[in-house]
Amino acid sequence: MSKKKNTNKLPNSLKPVAGNGLLDRRLFLQKGLTFTALTTAATVAPSVIAKASEGSEKQAEIDPIRPPWMRQPGKPFSFYGVPSPYEDKVVRLPSANSVLQGNGASWSPLHQLEGTITPNGLHFERHHNGVPQIDPEHHKLLIHGLVEKELFFSIDDLMRYPRRSQTCFIECGGNSNSSWNKNASKSPLGYSHGLVSCSNWTGIPLSTLLSEVGVRKKARWLIAEGADAFAMNMSIPLEKAMDDAMLALFQNGERLRPENGYPMRLLVPGWEGVLNVKWVRRIELSDQPVMARNETSKYTELLPSGKSRMFTLEMDAKSLITSPVSSTFIPEPGLFQITGLAWSGRGKVKKVEVSADNGETWAEAALDGPIIPKAFTRFRMPWRWDGKPAYLKSRVTDETGYVQPERDELVANRGRHGYFHYNAIMTLAVEEDGFVTHVYKAEDDKNSGNLGIDADW
Amino acid sequence: MYIKQKMIKILAISVLMLIGSVVATEDQQFSIPEGPQLGQPATAEEVAALSINVFSDGRGLPEGSGSVVQGASIYQSKCIVCHGAGGLGGSAEPLAGAKMGLTGEWPEKTIGTLWPYATTLFDFTRRSMPMTAPGSLNNDEVYAVTAYLLYLNGIVDKNLVLNKETLMQVKMPNVDGFINIYEQKKQKNK
């Protein structure tokens, strides 16, 4: 990990593809280049480095030739594996109502994760009134209303239905909402943009169940209801339900976690998280939406005119740089990999561009395949930081041609009080000393703004 | 692109040999894997007992009634602890007392300024409130506390007795304040 080596090894023939040190994405294909992983390097704050050298005596006791864990048998097998104790800082960040512990959200640590699949224990949470511990023997799904047959489905019965798997993201409509604020949040990425996660879900296509009950001609909407203390209800267009929605029973290969809807939840790919009703127990077919509290008072976006957008439903394309991370240091100039996530509720990510000079020039990033519609896509960009101020941005274009907007454009169209559906390009300022901060504009005072964790969702 | 995706989907399904019926809605056709048809018939009583959706046209509103005055005392004993006196100043969100309306630098989104339908207030209160004992209010109590919250927002007067008829006469100030983005997109795609 000697950084000198990194810079020395840069082939002379390698020309930047955009301003401020962005290099050709094909660089990753070349052999013999060592990249410093920003996630690990950048999160080591100076205080931690100091501590590490204090403890170097202790380090010396560990024989590098035959360390202690090679001198004794390891731990036995386990029924259910847990992460290494050295990774105990990789956690969700709950932000809950002080009076009601189960009212609020917990943020997924996107800045500490790699790849595109969110581990089940780190999937973001949004609960209105806690996580119910549902006994599956006492949980049934009722489908009723504008149908030929009103039917109950037990879990045991549902386990006998044909299933399919689909990898897709779920993003809360309120994700990134602190970015509507006047000052840019300085929280590590996940703790201000981590109400989004991506899993491989397995379940029964809703269309299978809807064809069994026989949907009447007049039906246009499904009203789904959860079996938690909030008994939340939400309206979903029938068209979407018949298209790609499912009743999910498994998440990343195992049965759903309680906080993700055990024993079953709706999956409404690419649409607002709140529609993916957890703990679902009842679906009413209707000719109209119910006009629930969470589709009128909340999850609607107030415009400057005083009118509100309602039933926005689809999540627009968004990309975020997950490394480097705001409020951490890049240790020193050298060759780095900028990486991040991109997704779109409309389908596939077509391309992600990265800029290191505040959007003056852009270069296309490499995308890890396969690219799955309505799922996280990981992008990567080689970058040689020369130690001068830089402004990093990422911008996604999806397969429909939709381009992620700059913040100015989004705010000009929507104002700042819409609260939901924030998807603008994010800017990270890199200072000469390597300190990285989230800013809205290059000229923003990097020290202004919200240093705390955002309590809203 | 969209059509291609659909075709792939249909192909994938047919590979699984699960092709079942094809259901036609107004403007789309879907291929559907057929299930083993294990659903158990629900009786009308079972369905009625579980059906608590209240629609904006009044469908689902139950029998029963409650007055503003009765609602005030229910509010004092069951809601004030989180929502504050007069619907303001508690740990939970304000339920009344907006002074600013929905435009300007500090818009205030409350029942009186934002909510388009009074039916939503009944539906939500009955299913979700009070947070510490949801489902504990009977229909009369829900009518009463709904009446009181409408009164606090200056929408109805003190003498109102709310029931399924009078609730439908309540006109919320912001009923025309919404743009249905889903319908808009659908029209555009046609």
Side-chain angles (χ1 to χ4, degrees):
Chain A
M1 283 271 281
S2 153
K3 300 103 196 173
K4 264 198 198 114
K5 220 194 241 149
N6 290 344
T7 29
N8 289 346
K9 272 203 174 173
L10 257 186
N12 293 334
S13 60
L14 204 70
K15 293 206 183 84
V17 289
N20 242 350
L22 291 184
L23 305 174
D24 195 307
R25 65 185 191 276
R26 282 161 302 200
L27 184 59
F28 298 133
L29 303 175
Q30 294 187 12
K31 286 196 181 121
L33 273 177
T34 14
F35 286 87
T36 308
L38 277 170
T39 20
T40 34
T43 44
V44 181
S47 61
V48 180
I49 294 169
K51 246 192 242 155
S53 50
E54 276 164 31
S56 56
E57 278 166 8
K58 227 184 187 177
Q59 296 262 307
E61 288 165 20
I62 292 182
D63 172 9
I65 308 300
R66 190 115 195 157
W69 43 87
M70 292 182 75
R71 289 182 180 278
Q72 62 187 44
K75 292 200 163 192
F77 302 95
S78 56
F79 286 107
Y80 200 100
V82 294
S84 159
Y86 296 100
E87 295 299 321
D88 63 354
K89 304 272 179 315
V90 183
V91 290
R92 293 192 280 228
L93 182 82
S95 66
N97 184 319
S98 57
V99 177
L100 290 154
Q101 306 269 299
N103 176 244
S106 74
W107 302 79
S108 185
L110 299 180
H111 54 285
Q112 295 172 310
L113 302 176
E114 250 295 354
T116 52
I117 297 293
T118 313
N120 286 346
L122 296 174
H123 193 288
F124 85 89
E125 303 169 274
R126 167 72 174 117
H127 317 305
H128 293 272
N129 202 357
V131 181
Q133 295 297 333
I134 296 174
D135 177 347
E137 295 228 342
H138 296 277
H139 186 89
K140 281 190 284 194
L141 173 67
L142 171 65
I143 306 183
H144 71 108
L146 291 176
V147 296
E148 298 302 333
K149 295 175 283 181
E150 302 192 308
L151 298 176
F152 280 114
F153 297 88
S154 72
I155 308 283
D156 280 350
D157 288 345
L158 288 169
M159 292 303 259
R160 290 171 53 190
Y161 277 65
R163 303 176 196 154
R164 81 183 152 75
S165 293
Q166 181 170 353
T167 299
C168 71
F169 74 84
I170 297 182
E171 181 176 22
C172 176
N175 190 26
S176 308
N177 66 62
S178 65
S179 294
W180 294 113
N181 294 348
K182 280 216 162 126
N183 295 318
S185 159
K186 309 300 181 198
S187 319
L189 184 82
Y191 301 155
S192 49
H193 297 272
L195 296 185
V196 60
S197 297
C198 184
S199 300
N200 180 258
W201 302 93
T202 305
I204 303 158
L206 263 190
S207 56
T208 297
L209 299 174
L210 292 173
S211 71
E212 181 170 341
V213 295
V215 176
R216 296 234 190 110
K217 269 225 159 70
K218 270 176 75 184
R220 291 287 175 279
W221 292 81
L222 271 68
I223 294 112
E225 178 183 274
D228 61 328
F230 210 68
M232 189 188 74
N233 58 346
M234 288 304 291
S235 309
I236 299 157
L238 177 61
E239 248 179 322
K240 177 69 175 176
M242 295 301 282
D243 181 14
D244 61 354
M246 72 156 86
L247 182 71
L249 298 158
F250 297 82
Q251 178 185 6
N252 294 329
E254 65 180 359
R255 289 298 302 279
L256 302 180
R257 297 282 173 96
E259 69 264 35
N260 263 300
Y262 183 85
M264 56 194 177
R265 77 175 303 168
L266 289 187
L267 195 75
V268 186
W271 287 20
E272 289 170 349
V274 67
L275 298 161
N276 297 251
V277 176
K278 292 182 289 192
W279 317 294
V280 61
R281 71 155 186 174
R282 190 167 70 88
I283 294 174
E284 177 172 358
L285 281 112
S286 159
D287 58 346
Q288 57 190 285
V290 69
M291 296 299 179
R293 180 266 194 165
N294 273 358
E295 56 205 30
T296 54
S297 162
K298 300 288 185 278
Y299 305 93
T300 55
E301 305 109 61
L302 181 63
L303 297 169
S305 65
K307 297 261 187 218
S308 300
R309 291 158 57 94
M310 134 187 276
F311 296 120
T312 309
L313 307 178
E314 200 169 59
M315 297 308 289
D316 282 327
K318 180 148 134 187
S319 72
L320 298 165
I321 293 173
T322 57
S323 172
V325 182
S326 184
S327 303
T328 63
F329 285 91
I330 297 178
E332 62 184 312
L335 186 59
F336 296 100
Q337 186 180 73
I338 296 169
T339 183
L341 294 166
W343 62 94
S344 169
R346 301 155 191 251
K348 283 186 185 175
V349 164
K350 193 166 96 198
K351 67 172 175 188
V352 178
E353 296 157 293
V354 173
S355 171
D357 57 8
N358 201 33
E360 265 169 51
T361 58
W362 296 85
E364 219 173 307
L367 305 180
D368 285 355
I371 296 165
I372 299 168
K374 304 173 189 176
F376 277 178
T377 298
R378 169 73 53 185
F379 65 87
R380 302 182 191 279
M381 187 81 211
W383 176 47
R384 186 176 45 197
W385 182 49
D386 59 6
K388 299 211 183 77
Y391 295 91
L392 307 178
K393 290 172 188 273
S394 68
R395 175 172 75 189
V396 59
T397 303
D398 73 16
E399 64 176 328
T400 69
Y402 176 91
V403 183
Q404 184 181 13
E406 280 283 0
R407 184 174 184 276
D408 280 352
E409 186 189 338
L410 187 69
V411 169
N413 288 332
R414 303 257 179 93
R416 288 198 311 107
H417 300 291
Y419 198 86
F420 300 95
H421 288 269
Y422 184 94
N423 74 318
I425 291 170
M426 186 172 128
T427 306
L428 290 173
V430 182
E431 293 170 52
E432 280 181 344
D433 61 0
F435 194 61
V436 182
T437 30
H438 174 213
V439 296
Y440 291 146
K441 286 198 176 120
E443 60 272 22
D444 281 359
D445 176 0
K446 294 176 198 84
N447 297 316
S448 80
N450 174 2
L451 288 164
I453 303 295
D454 303 289
D456 295 333
W457 43 83
Chain B
M1 208 54 162
Y2 184 63
I3 289 169
K4 202 168 133 200
Q5 212 179 298
K6 268 269 131 55
M7 276 171 56
I8 291 169
K9 197 177 293 169
I10 290 168
L11 237 152
I13 290 165
S14 52
V15 166
L16 288 170
M17 303 296 279
L18 288 169
I19 285 243
S21 47
V22 172
V23 166
T25 64
E26 222 168 3
D27 40 40
Q28 263 177 301
Q29 283 219 333
F30 307 95
S31 217
I32 298 163
E34 190 159 0
Q37 312 273 329
L38 301 172
Q40 293 293 314
T43 66
E45 294 75 49
E46 285 171 323
V47 171
L50 287 165
S51 295
I52 53 167
N53 287 328
V54 175
F55 291 80
S56 55
D57 64 1
R59 193 151 46 88
L61 278 173
E63 298 300 328
S65 71
S67 68
V68 169
V69 178
Q70 287 163 337
S73 74
I74 294 166
Y75 186 88
Q76 307 306 319
S77 61
K78 301 195 164 152
C79 320
I80 203 167
V81 54
C82 294
H83 289 289
L88 257 184
S91 65
E93 43 198 0
L95 300 179
K99 298 211 168 60
M100 303 307 283
L102 295 177
T103 51
E105 195 42 36
W106 301 105
E108 292 185 324
K109 305 177 194 177
T110 63
I111 294 166
T113 56
L114 181 66
W115 289 47
Y117 305 105
T119 47
T120 307
L121 190 52
F122 185 95
D123 176 283
F124 179 72
T125 304
R126 181 167 66 165
R127 70 174 57 246
S128 307
M129 291 295 143
M131 290 284 265
T132 36
S136 62
L137 301 182
N138 65 32
N139 289 336
D140 291 342
E141 291 170 315
V142 178
Y143 274 119
V145 81
T146 301
Y148 178 65
L149 290 176
L150 293 170
Y151 167 78
L152 278 183
N153 281 281
I155 296 165
V156 302
D157 72 66
K158 196 182 151 195
N159 302 319
L160 179 77
V161 175
L162 206 58
N163 58 37
K164 67 181 194 185
E165 278 84 35
T166 54
L167 194 145
M168 290 314 293
Q169 287 154 20
V170 173
K171 186 158 190 264
M172 299 296 274
N174 197 39
V175 62
D176 297 321
F178 291 84
I179 305 160
N180 188 326
I181 301 297
Y182 175 69
E183 288 301 332
Q184 221 175 48
K185 273 189 196 163
K186 252 176 79 167
Q187 291 309 319
K188 233 195 241 164
N189 290 343
K190 266 189 186 158

